[in-house]
Every structure is written in C-alpha cells, then in structure tokens.
C-alpha cells in the first residue's frame, strides 16, 4: 500500500492542505483491508467514518426490495473518498458499500476529523470546500442517472409526452 501521507495528498478531499495539515490527518487515520465482496458498511448503519480508496473499486449500493435486492448507484475508484456524508451530519448511512476487489483503504473517524477542523479553521475551510465540490459532483451524476432511468421508464411504458 502507498505511504499514508502520499495517499492523503492524492485525495481530492485534502487538496490544498499544507504538509503539516496532511501530517495531522495521518495521525487520526487508520488502514483497513477488505477482501473482494465484503461489505464495508451497511445502509442504515451509523455513519461515523469516512474512507479513502487509494486504489481499486468500491460499489455503492442501495436496497430496492427490502433486504433482498440491491442496485449499484455509484462506483468509487482510485483516490476517491466514500462515506463522506458522515463528516457532514453523522446520520445513518444512505447506502451500503462493497469491495469489488481485495482492497486496502484508509479510514478516518468523522468526530476526530471535525475536531481537527475546529482547531484549524484553514483546514476546515479547505476540506469543507472540497467536500462541497465532491458531493455536488456526485449529486449531479445521480441526477443524470435518475433522469436516464425515468426517461427509459416513460419510453417503455409509453408515457413520454
């Protein structure tokens, strides 16, 4: 696995931070391994960690029929963050994540990260700005996907006006 400092530097969430700020983030980070197919966190679970994916693929999935059927809504890839909503509100997870291959990830407690951001306002400002861009992009992508599904549904069922 890449060195922790290099992983954090390559992650969009932490772009624009100083070496010292990245080092303080490394101090609250931990590495974890997940074999292919393993669930990293469940939909509805407590959102207390965010994750950084140095390399590989993670499937972001939602339940569409109780607990029996899920659908992939997004695929996180190299250097992406996932589970980032935990940093914003700490609510229950809105989706589950599953390793699509054997993975090494970096996990960071959202409470510890918020404490660092409170203590260093520059760090907090930069991270929240980056987070806003990440969440906005994901929302935009989700809206486009939803539009495509709705248009297909209307076309198939003849309700296109």
């Amino acid at each position: 696995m890449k060195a922790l400092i290099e992983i954090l530097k390559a992650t969009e969430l932490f772009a624009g931070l100083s070496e010292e700020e990245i080092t303080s983030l490394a101090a609250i980070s931990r590495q974890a391994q997940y074999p292919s197919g393993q669930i990293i966190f469940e939909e509805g679970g407590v959102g207390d960690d965010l994750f950084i994916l140095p390399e590989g693929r993670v499937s972001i999935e939602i339940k569409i029929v109780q607990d029996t059927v899920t659908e992939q809504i997004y695929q996180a890839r190299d250097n992406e963050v996932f589970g980032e909503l935990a940093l914003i509100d700490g609510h229950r997870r809105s989706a589950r994540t599953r390793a699509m291959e054997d993975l090494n990830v970096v996990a960071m407690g959202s409470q510890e990260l918020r404490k660092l951001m409170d203590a260093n306002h520059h760090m907090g400002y930069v991270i929240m700005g980056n987070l806003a861009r990440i969440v906005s992009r994901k929302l935009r992508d989700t809206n486009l996907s939803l539009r495509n599904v709705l248009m297909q549904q209307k076309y198939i069922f003849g309700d296109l006006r």
Side-chain angles (χ1 to χ4, degrees), residues 110-126:
S110 58
Q111 288 183 341
E112 291 86 355
L113 181 52
R114 279 195 296 271
K115 285 179 187 174
L116 276 180
M117 292 166 46
D118 285 344
N120 179 334
H121 293 153
H122 173 262
M123 178 188 285
Y125 178 80
V126 169

Side-chain angles (χ1 to χ4, degrees), residues 53 56-60 72-77 80 100:
L53 179 64
R57 296 174 302 140
V58 170
S59 178
I60 313 297
Q72 179 177 297
I73 58 169
Y74 186 77
Q75 191 175 114
R77 296 181 180 271
E80 278 195 76
M100 297 183 74

Side-chain angles (χ1 to χ4, degrees), residues 66-101:
Q66 304 214 347
D67 290 338
T68 59
V69 180
T70 61
E71 185 68 32
Q72 179 177 297
I73 58 169
Y74 186 77
Q75 191 175 114
R77 296 181 180 271
D78 299 358
N79 297 318
E80 278 195 76
V81 64
F82 62 96
E84 69 278 358
L85 295 181
L87 181 58
I88 297 172
D89 61 13
H91 283 257
R92 301 233 174 246
R93 300 284 189 184
S94 62
R96 81 172 186 186
T97 58
R98 183 176 47 82
M100 297 183 74
E101 55 199 71

Side-chain angles (χ1 to χ4, degrees), residues 126-159:
V126 169
I127 291 172
M128 291 310 281
N130 291 340
L131 182 61
R133 280 186 288 283
I134 292 166
V135 171
S136 294
R137 185 178 58 247
K138 288 181 179 182
L139 178 59
R140 207 173 290 111
D141 291 347
T142 300
N143 286 345
L144 288 172
S145 295
L146 179 59
R147 178 181 298 131
N148 290 340
V149 168
L150 293 172
M151 287 181 66
Q152 288 173 0
Q153 182 182 21
K154 287 184 179 286
Y155 179 77
I156 290 169
F157 295 109
D159 191 20

